Amino acid sequence: MVNRITELLRKMSIAEKIAQLSQLSADYFQEDGVTLTGPTGKQQVTSEELHSVGSVLGISGAERARKIQKNYLQHSRLKIPLLFMADVVHGYKTIFPIPLGLASSFDSELVEETAKIAAKESASAGLHAIFAPMVDLVRDPRWGRVMESNGEDPFLNGSLATASIKGFQGCVTDRFDENHVAACVKHFAAYGAAEGGREYNTVDMSEWQFRDQYLEGYQRAIETGARLVMTSFNTLFGVPATANEHLMRTILRKELKFDGILISDWNAIGELKEHGVASSQTDAAVKALKAGVDMDMMSFAYFELAQKLEKEGQVPQEIIKLLDESVYRVLKLKEELGLFEDPFRGMDLLKEEENVLTEDNLKIAQKAAEESTVLLENKDNLLPLKPDTKITLCGPLVRERDLLGSWSWKGNTTKNETIADALQNKFKGVTVFDEDLAEGTLDLNVLKQKTADSEVVIVALGLKSYQSGEATSMTKPRLPKKQLNFLKALNETGKKIVTIIITGRPLVLTEVSKFSDALLLPWFPGSRGAEAIANIITGEVNPSGKLPMSFPRDIGQIPLYYNSLRTGRPLTGSDNLDKENKYLSKYIDEENSHLYCFGYGLSYADFKVKKVQLVDKQIAKNGELNLKVEVANESHIDGQTVIQCYTHQCVAETAQPDRELKMFKKIMLKANEAKVIDICIPVTRLAYTHQDLTKKVDCGNYVLYVGFAADTKRKISFEII
């Protein structure tokens, strides 16, 4: 491999090297049906540049990719194959729940399995690398890309990032197999903390906060072997990420030991001019190269640098060195993918037909949707419903086929069942109505007539796919007013109401909760989402999803997350004392607390933690917390739940959260079954960032919380010695 790459580097001109570091979108290859994921404004590219470029994004399909690769190689001087990349965020053609939904499963093995399927489908369609997973820690539902995230907790984020990388890439040593693709971790760094939840906006936080809370997801993904990292659009520590040498050279390359490809996001290098840190495209290109950005996605800054260097006739030695380092990394990935031996790797139409959108894949998609659905309310155990229950189905999303969510560009919504389809297959007596809700209300007498014969009304509300994802920031993450009015009117009929919420982000559901007897959150559940919803409503599947983000009571609480730092004037927990004392950290018009906390989710079964035992209450800094947790299912229904373990350090060098997740374990208990579950937590997981920015574990007193949500009260003390 080294000899091949060294020989190619020796033969390449400066222009060819820079072309290898440039990525063009699909429309430059004159193919129909392409999807663009950034602003357009097509720039002229010469034939020589086009047939020297290193990679293309947005093209897929074995036949199309093979045709483009063949034509490219025919015109390429050095015959270096193209890399094909695309956004495959939660499935290629088999669409799984959005990543925030999958995070609700609290199931690393399931996440790995969905990534494995997405990789196999993508590779069969000619893709070599995909822009996933997104491991930005997100605490603000106003940010539309929260749907791509694993939520607000560093440990859960890191665990699922690791699972995704394993699924996408497989067990790579020095060569990928044909069923896997290279994964790209995005967006480095801290993009999920954009001010005001506004897309492309500034991030302003201390390096202490970044290292203590935001870095873990990226670090664990890189440790797992991710081959690419994508820069973020935002500034961090006052410098745009794409030109941030401290962030990219010191933290990413040196500290995290990342030696793969660093690729810009769409036009991020060119946007350094808009940030005001570069005077021209070529100035931006030099700054990005110095920061270590190997690949320029759609800004043409590297192309313009090549033109400038050609005119000047002399290339600074520093630029040559930077170019050689970056080109080496690009060629190394192509070698690992086996493209020099087979430039048409995976581009087989028959194999694509065999591997894509299979029934086995769809079964996993349905399982994922079932385990990602969170039961938020179930007053008087209304759910599950018996098949002979007379129901009325209504709401703007009851006949909606697009349950896929954003970033599902290859998903086919026409093949999806609607919620109405799925429920009509389960219940004998079903009435469906979906009148225009433009005014948000219907005459109460009309509603009473339409629901007269039903025992339960099931109403499907929520947002559309285009209302989450990139460039969909909103100031009011809640249901449209007309939907709330409709739900309120339904409530006035006196019927029992089951509300289904389809969404790509946490919403303020305070009113929805008030007017619903049962409340089900499937997120955007994917290709088999409607079937999963129906199975949960009938009880064929017992819901086990847990929230990966806190849901606020009111918009003014945002950002709201369970693991915020303690203050000097916290609430005491006593309603009377907290009301009497004005000088506490609180609102005067709303409670501090969430509506639904991180880790929360109901079940049809009745789970209880009966006993928690720490094997040792004094543990060495290089040791482990070994727990025995007795859990019982005190019901006649089988079910899964998630044991969640949180710790708190009583006295530390820097302020600490009241609790932080350190371990979770998904378990299955049959009806009336009890088990003792062994759980091991390495003490190294209790490390935090000190004032000198080093991360280490302190000796001292700690508290361990064990339960089924972040607000669990069961605790036990221990000491690190």
Side-chain angles (χ1 to χ4, degrees):
M1 177 176 72
V2 174
N3 290 338
R4 189 203 309 267
I5 294 175
T6 302
E7 183 63 18
L8 282 170
L9 279 169
R10 187 185 65 79
K11 293 179 179 179
M12 294 172 78
S13 67
I14 292 296
E16 286 172 327
K17 289 177 181 179
I18 287 179
Q20 272 298 303
L21 306 184
S22 300
Q23 182 172 90
L24 297 181
S25 62
D27 54 329
Y28 279 84
F29 294 83
Q30 298 180 350
E31 287 292 311
D32 296 328
V34 300
T35 298
L36 301 180
T37 59
T40 57
K42 197 166 178 180
Q43 183 164 326
Q44 290 297 317
V45 174
T46 67
S47 176
E48 186 178 354
E49 288 172 332
L50 182 65
H51 296 105
S52 302
V53 74
S55 62
V56 58
L57 76 155
I59 288 175
S60 69
E63 186 175 13
R64 175 182 292 170
R66 177 176 283 273
K67 179 182 176 183
I68 290 171
Q69 187 78 289
K70 181 180 179 181
N71 180 67
Y72 173 85
L73 290 171
Q74 285 174 347
H75 293 84
S76 171
R77 184 178 80 88
L78 295 174
K79 311 303 179 188
I80 300 172
L82 269 174
L83 268 175
F84 288 80
M85 305 187 191
D87 289 283
V88 180
V89 173
H90 54 114
Y92 177 65
K93 285 194 175 179
T94 302
I95 306 299
F96 303 100
I98 58 172
L100 189 61
L102 276 173
S104 297
S105 72
F106 274 66
D107 190 332
S108 298
E109 291 181 5
L110 178 62
V111 169
E112 182 176 343
E113 180 69 13
T114 63
K116 181 179 177 181
I117 291 169
K120 189 172 183 179
E121 289 195 357
S122 300
S124 299
L127 292 174
H128 305 129
I130 61 173
F131 300 126
M134 191 188 93
V135 298
D136 300 323
L137 191 73
V138 187
R139 292 165 166 175
D140 193 333
R142 294 173 297 181
W143 193 53
R145 298 192 79 162
V146 65
M147 56 81 59
E148 291 182 67
S149 80
N150 295 316
E152 70 187 39
D153 180 77
F155 179 68
L156 178 65
N157 184 30
S159 299
L160 300 186
T162 295
S164 295
I165 300 295
K166 289 179 179 177
F168 289 138
Q169 296 193 164
C171 299
V172 183
T173 50
D174 61 345
R175 187 63 59 95
F176 282 79
D177 66 40
E178 287 197 355
N179 291 324
H180 292 88
V181 293
C184 179
V185 175
K186 59 185 188 183
H187 308 83
F188 200 74
Y191 192 28
E195 284 187 355
R198 196 169 78 244
E199 189 75 85
Y200 317 119
N201 203 11
T202 299
V203 172
D204 187 11
M205 66 172 63
S206 68
E207 189 165 343
W208 175 85
Q209 185 182 17
F210 171 69
R211 289 176 176 275
D212 193 63
Q213 298 159 39
Y214 285 80
L215 191 59
E216 180 171 344
Y218 308 112
Q219 180 173 355
R220 291 180 66 181
I222 290 164
E223 288 173 350
T224 310
R227 293 304 198 262
L228 299 99
V229 168
M230 182 183 289
T231 68
S232 53
F233 286 116
N234 56 279
T235 61
L236 185 64
F237 316 139
V239 181
T242 310
N244 196 320
E245 292 189 48
H246 175 63
L247 181 63
M248 301 304 178
R249 292 286 184 184
T250 303
I251 298 177
L252 180 65
R253 295 289 192 194
K254 185 177 178 181
E255 295 181 20
L256 301 188
K257 297 180 173 56
F258 177 67
D259 62 356
I261 294 172
L262 180 61
I263 182 172
S264 78
D265 209 330
W266 185 293
N267 193 38
I269 296 177
E271 289 170 11
L272 294 176
K273 292 188 300 177
E274 299 299 326
H275 279 289
V277 299
S279 60
S280 64
Q281 281 277 76
T282 54
D283 185 29
V286 170
K287 282 183 163 64
L289 277 172
K290 287 182 176 179
V293 180
D294 302 309
M295 198 173 285
D296 172 12
M297 183 197 292
M298 285 298 290
S299 85
F300 305 94
Y302 284 4
F303 276 136
E304 290 198 23
L305 177 62
Q307 293 164 9
K308 179 185 178 186
L309 294 173
E310 184 179 9
K311 286 180 182 178
E312 292 175 350
Q314 186 174 0
V315 184
Q317 198 60 38
E318 180 188 17
I319 296 297
I320 293 174
K321 182 175 183 292
L322 292 172
L323 289 175
D324 285 352
E325 287 176 353
S326 292
V327 174
Y328 178 87
R329 285 190 278 262
V330 172
L331 297 181
K332 181 172 180 283
L333 179 60
K334 292 183 178 185
E335 182 78 48
E336 288 179 324
L337 288 161
L339 294 180
F340 289 108
E341 285 77 21
D342 181 11
F344 305 102
R345 168 194 183 272
M347 297 173 185
D348 185 311
L349 187 59
L350 180 60
K351 187 177 179 182
E352 183 179 18
E353 291 174 352
E354 290 175 349
N355 289 342
V356 173
L357 207 64
T358 67
E359 186 57 33
D360 285 344
N361 292 356
L362 288 168
K363 285 179 181 176
I364 299 298
Q366 182 168 325
K367 180 177 187 287
E370 290 166 351
E371 294 200 23
S372 299
T373 298
V374 185
L375 181 62
L376 297 175
E377 298 283 354
N378 196 22
K379 299 164 187 174
D380 299 323
N381 296 316
L382 175 60
L383 294 179
L385 302 178
K386 295 179 180 178
D388 60 355
T389 305
K390 292 181 180 180
I391 64 173
T392 295
L393 305 180
C394 58
L397 299 183
V398 73
R399 295 192 191 273
E400 178 62 66
R401 292 193 182 278
D402 184 6
L403 301 177
L404 304 182
S406 182
W407 293 113
S408 53
W409 61 300
K410 285 292 181 179
N412 187 346
T413 58
T414 64
K415 294 186 177 181
N416 297 345
E417 279 198 349
T418 67
I419 294 171
D421 293 334
L423 287 171
Q424 284 175 311
N425 291 334
K426 298 288 186 182
F427 291 91
K428 297 174 182 177
V430 178
T431 301
V432 184
F433 76 93
D434 52 0
E435 273 83 355
D436 181 15
L437 301 178
E439 299 304 320
T441 59
L442 281 174
D443 182 90
L444 182 57
N445 290 328
V446 174
L447 283 178
K448 285 183 175 180
Q449 289 174 7
K450 289 181 176 294
T451 60
D453 295 332
S454 64
E455 300 167 73
V456 176
V457 175
I458 300 178
V459 56
L461 307 174
L463 306 181
K464 300 283 189 177
S465 286
Y466 63 79
Q467 291 176 293
S468 61
E470 186 172 358
T472 61
S473 299
M474 58 170 56
T475 60
K476 300 177 181 65
R478 60 189 181 200
L479 291 181
K481 188 174 181 180
K482 61 186 180 183
Q483 291 189 23
L484 287 172
N485 289 342
F486 180 62
L487 179 61
K488 184 177 180 180
L490 283 175
N491 177 259
E492 291 174 2
T493 67
K495 298 291 183 178
K496 296 290 186 181
I497 296 175
V498 176
T499 304
I500 300 167
I501 300 293
I502 305 298
T503 179
R505 66 178 90 213
L507 301 172
V508 175
L509 296 177
T510 304
E511 289 185 89
V512 179
S513 171
K514 178 181 176 182
F515 297 129
S516 304
D517 296 284
L519 183 53
L520 205 60
L521 176 71
W523 304 99
F524 277 101
S527 297
R528 284 282 177 89
E531 294 91 331
I533 292 167
N535 283 346
I536 288 172
I537 286 175
T538 60
E540 294 170 63
V541 171
N542 189 349
S544 59
K546 304 287 185 179
L547 291 179
M549 287 187 75
S550 305
F551 275 48
R553 295 177 180 276
D554 198 278
I555 290 168
Q557 293 178 290
I558 296 171
L560 177 72
Y561 46 99
Y562 87 94
N563 48 353
S564 57
L565 299 183
R566 302 183 84 182
T567 79
R569 296 187 179 186
L571 297 179
T572 67
S574 167
D575 289 342
N576 289 335
L577 289 175
D578 292 339
K579 286 178 182 178
E580 289 173 4
N581 189 349
K582 178 180 179 179
Y583 299 102
L584 298 176
S585 179
K586 64 178 181 178
Y587 299 104
I588 62 173
D589 61 345
E590 183 55 86
E591 295 181 34
N592 282 15
S593 64
H594 43 256
L595 181 66
Y596 302 114
C597 72
F598 174 87
Y600 170 84
L602 299 175
S603 169
Y604 298 150
D606 183 15
F607 296 108
K608 286 187 170 60
V609 174
K610 307 295 286 187
K611 186 178 181 181
V612 178
Q613 180 184 355
L614 262 175
V615 175
D616 295 302
K617 291 194 176 183
Q618 287 189 324
I619 305 120
K621 290 173 74 171
N622 62 350
E624 298 173 334
L625 280 76
N626 291 297
L627 293 78
K628 293 187 177 295
V629 183
E630 184 180 346
V631 187
N633 177 358
E634 298 182 348
S635 74
H636 63 283
I637 301 171
D638 298 348
Q640 296 185 96
T641 191
V642 180
I643 301 173
Q644 300 167 40
C645 301
Y646 301 81
T647 63
H648 169 67
Q649 185 171 344
C650 299
V651 178
E653 184 181 284
T654 64
Q656 294 295 296
D658 182 62
R659 62 190 68 191
E660 290 183 292
L661 183 70
K662 298 300 179 184
M663 179 60 79
F664 59 90
K665 193 166 188 177
K666 195 161 192 175
I667 62 169
M668 164 65 80
L669 289 179
K670 294 188 177 297
N672 300 306
E673 182 183 17
K675 284 183 180 178
V676 174
I677 308 297
D678 292 320
I679 295 177
C680 174
I681 305 174
V683 170
T684 53
R685 199 164 289 163
L686 277 57
Y688 70 96
T689 304
H690 288 59
Q691 293 181 62
D692 63 0
L693 301 184
T694 62
K695 202 162 189 177
K696 53 194 174 186
V697 179
D698 292 341
C699 294
N701 295 320
Y702 292 74
V703 178
L704 171 71
Y705 296 88
V706 180
F708 303 124
D711 60 358
T712 181
K713 299 295 191 292
R714 181 181 286 272
K715 63 183 181 179
I716 187 169
S717 299
F718 65 97
E719 184 182 7
I720 302 297
I721 56 174

